[in-house]
Amino acid sequence: MNIIADYDKVEYKRGSFKTFMKYSLRIFDFILVSLFAVAAIFCFTRFFSSSNKKNKILIVKTPHEKYAYSLNKNVEFTTKGSIGKTKIKIENGKAFVTESCCDNKNCINMGKLSRVNDYAACLPNGIILYIEGEDEKEKIDAIVN
């Protein structure tokens, strides 16, 4: 009973708690929204930054030679294989086969190569494409690399 009596004796200024809650919620809401906005901008710039294209090259092995191309430049080129020509395109940091003289066209269906260790091969024509380089985002951890 003493606790209840103590609360009855406390006098509050009229509206002071309401006023405090009214303005403090607005301030804390603003701070919270600002923190979320800063975190979202940080994550967006970190995820979509162009640093993931750094140090990546496309290696093209043919039966006759070996070529290296940077993934940072948009290029289209043709290489000669065992049975004919294969057309390869690099666009927006991704490499892919656009045309090939082979019958099964598996090299075209392998899709776009953009990550380190991605590969595509046109076995009938003897052409192998793969990406080499080091990308900090693609490392699993310090032990596995």
Side-chain angles (χ1 to χ4, degrees):
M1 288 287 189
N2 290 339
I3 296 173
I4 296 173
D6 290 339
Y7 282 119
D8 290 338
K9 293 178 184 176
V10 176
E11 292 182 22
Y12 293 104
K13 292 182 182 177
R14 185 170 186 191
S16 65
F17 184 71
K18 269 184 167 179
T19 306
F20 170 74
M21 289 304 291
K22 181 178 172 183
Y23 291 112
S24 67
L25 283 180
R26 286 184 182 170
I27 292 170
F28 291 130
D29 288 342
F30 176 74
I31 291 171
L32 187 63
V33 168
S34 299
L35 287 174
F36 278 128
V38 168
I41 290 170
F42 175 76
C43 291
F44 182 78
T45 56
R46 180 89 170 141
F47 185 74
F48 290 108
S49 68
S50 62
S51 66
N52 61 351
K53 295 180 185 176
K54 187 171 27 172
N55 298 329
K56 290 185 188 178
I57 55 171
L58 173 70
I59 305 295
V60 180
K61 283 187 179 180
T62 68
H64 312 292
E65 292 182 323
K66 182 177 178 180
Y67 304 98
Y69 298 93
S70 172
L71 287 180
N72 294 330
K73 295 181 180 178
N74 295 339
V75 179
E76 189 169 357
F77 55 93
T78 304
T79 60
K80 188 170 178 6
S82 299
I83 61 172
K85 294 182 180 180
T86 299
K87 194 180 256 187
I88 301 166
K89 188 173 187 179
I90 299 174
E91 186 176 62
N92 298 325
K94 297 178 181 180
F96 52 98
V97 178
T98 56
E99 293 178 22
S100 182
C101 61
C102 61
D103 293 332
N104 55 12
K105 308 291 185 203
N106 285 339
C107 52
I108 295 173
N109 296 328
M110 293 201 66
K112 297 183 178 182
L113 313 176
S114 62
R115 302 182 74 191
V116 174
N117 296 327
D118 279 354
Y119 70 93
C122 183
L123 296 179
N125 205 12
I127 296 177
I128 299 172
L129 296 90
Y130 60 94
I131 296 180
E132 280 188 353
E134 186 174 329
D135 192 359
E136 294 296 322
K137 289 183 180 181
E138 294 175 7
K139 285 186 177 180
I140 297 171
D141 60 17
I143 297 170
V144 176
N145 281 338

